[in-house]
Amino acid sequence: MKVNVCLFGPMRKYRDKDKFQLELEEGATLARLLDHLKIEDRIYIVILINGRRAYEDEPLSDDAEVLIMAPTGGG
Amino acid sequence: MTKTEWVGADVIRIDAKDKVRGVLKYMSDLSFPNMIYGAVLRSKHPHALIKKINTKRAKELDGVVTVLTHEDVPGLNGFGIAIPDQPVLCSDKVRYMGDAIALVGAESKEIAERALELIEVEYQPLPVVCDPEQAMLSSSPKVHETGNLHNHVKIERGNVEAAFKEAQVVVENTYFTPRQMHAFLEPESGVAAIDEDKNITIWCGGQHPYRDQLQVARALGMNPRKIRIVNTPTGGAFGGKDEITVQIHLALLVLHTGRPAKIVLSREESVIAGMKRHPMRIHMKTAAAADGTILANEARVVSDTGAYASLGGPVIGFAIEHSCGAYRVENVKLEGFCVYTNNGVAGAFRGFGANQVTFAVETQLDMIAEKLGMDKLEIRKRNALRSGDIAALGHQMEASVGLLRTLEAAENSRLWQLKEEFKAKPSAPHKKRGIGIACSFQGCGLGKGLPDYGAASVELLPNGQFAIGVSCPEIGQGNTTAFAQMAADYIRCSVDDIVVLSGDTGHTLDSGTSTASRSIYTGGNALKHAVQNLHNAISPIAAEILCVPEDDISFGHGKIVSKSCPDKILSFKDIAEYITARGLSIKSEGHFIWPVSETELEGYVGIPHLLYSYITQIALVEVNTLTGETEVIEAVSVPDPGKAINPQGVEGQSEGGVVMGMGYALTEDTIIKEGMTLTRNFSTYILPTSLDMPCKIETIIAEELEPSGPFGAKGIGEAVCVPISPAITNAIHDAVKVWIKQIPATPERVYTALKSREVS
């Protein structure tokens, strides 16, 4: 299956592009995606799958949009 | 737009009765059996190496349960919203007087405090750096190994030099702004408990429970889902509880002892260790044509973030974004520096960097108007941003732009219309009156590059009422009431049938922060989606009961009606009883992601914004020429919040904002010298009290509806405290003809200025 990944802010360091598509095996979870991207600090990140807050053990679906960001703030 | 029943009405705050009767339990009011009391050992030096920490004597004291140091932090020994540069408990170095070194848990608060005195810390003092300009020199002591410049923002557009050459008027000045204290009534405090499965719950005032959860989890090296954070109700925050306060220390105590724990900072500890508004030094050069059109603006802004970053990086970006005011300026050269020093810590504070630069740009504008002989309101109208304009950072104002509307309403206010009459009647011959005006805008939401999201839930309860959940905490701003009003109109039920759950990772979905003037817009939009899903879930059930097709169902005031047979009616209670009898439930979720500006500024996140609230404020002051004392007699506040969900709530925000901005302009500053906090309590930190309130604050709500907002709403929590400060200092100039370039405009400063006719 293919998932669409967007990296924001400091998370961009894990890829040379901030928007890209990844091919993963059917039934892959978010943890698999994070492994693939070699994201080490997995506690202090926020992930949205199709606009919904998601955690590592959640399964991905084909064509899912995955946003990965640091939970920063701002005015 | 659909006619609303609750949105736009002065619904009484849902927390009002419990608050005014003193019934409401804040976090530090909570207690548990077998609870221990925590106390934190703070640094004795503003900058020093730690050579040795000896806790032996403290541990031996009767009643001491635990004494923890950096060695007891199981995860990352650091926190910080943007970067985790602040130690939970310092190991080798302290960088300000509020740095935490050890944490005691004891049977009583008194024993915990006594134990702090028995902890021996050997320091090697280091040279202190307290001037941010000096801190940027390579020869200065380094607060952090990476250097003292935390963030640098530089934006250039057009040709500033050419504009300065062709200008009719150029004004150039340096401004200084103070280290304002949030001064929330409830100091940083909370309680925590741990269960047999090592799940930790922390009840603590805060502004983003889900981010607190992640910061605690990171420091403890735990799965975030094992940590529950409850932030509502919070006894005031204003940005000062956006960052971690006592949450990680509470978690460490319960983790290491297995007992519930409480920490309540004293006011003095809160002042020394807590966040402040960034003091800034702003050098600004502004050019205008003969007709008052601003041709160019150049600004160099140096911001003192103190020992740690917190949100200092985004604050300087926000300040630069707002440094040309809500005006069209084609040529800009803007540069901001966020610098580490040993002066406390600065972080988020209502206005988020706009307050400082607005003071500068609004004073510049008055100076230009005076040189050109223009009316102060007229020059603002001439330059005001309109929809479709290009703003200072080169981004287009695509969303609702309400500045002109606020200026026109301000122009028609009684105070402006009769200003000469008001000024002509000082209360004594040695007092002079003046009127000042100022405007500003406030970026809502987190800005470009920081995806801003929110979620909400709606559940039909067995009694036919609805429980709505939004995690943006109630910090006194009244968002829970506004959420109830919006939900009632979306659902088409009574506001009395809405139960609001707020600020709890255990019971509400992540809606983000109660900061950045964002919670009404985010929560409202998420609720809108959640209610659409709720209606979609109810419709087939109602159709089944009424024996009509699903598309025949409509939602009316507190009822569900067949469109074709209007006498076929159900109440929400009927639906609730129907599903409850069948063991079913209806709970829906709504998710929302903010739209963002199409403009991307390479290398920066958080700027620019897409949505802004706008505001014009006017102040009438009276200056005592013998003492330099300034009194604000009246004020007019004209905010554009988009749709005012609760006009009384907007009025309350407006009045509170005026007084907060008045303190910023006239009295408030936390004095730190050589890294030592001299202003340690409210006895020397001069807050406006009820006796200092202007006789009248008139709020005129100028709604410029935002098409993407829930019912047209934006956010107004911050803007209300921003332009009132320069409106007051401009009024001082109107009264006694001295320009105020450093706030607070204390009696000493005004008196000195009167004597020299110059404040620098």
Side-chain angles (χ1 to χ4, degrees), chain B residues 684-704:
Chain B
T684 49
Y685 186 83
I686 311 303
L687 284 165
T689 69
S690 54
L691 296 177
D692 303 306
M693 285 279 289
C695 299
K696 183 175 180 182
I697 301 174
E698 183 185 12
T699 296
I700 305 165
I701 301 173
E703 295 178 336
E704 185 78 29

Side-chain angles (χ1 to χ4, degrees), chain B residues 411-430:
Chain B
E411 189 171 19
N412 292 325
S413 68
R414 190 183 59 100
L415 188 54
W416 191 260
Q417 288 291 318
L418 303 176
K419 57 180 181 291
E420 296 310 323
E421 256 180 64
F422 280 106
K423 282 161 58 176
K425 297 174 191 166
S427 60
H430 61 282

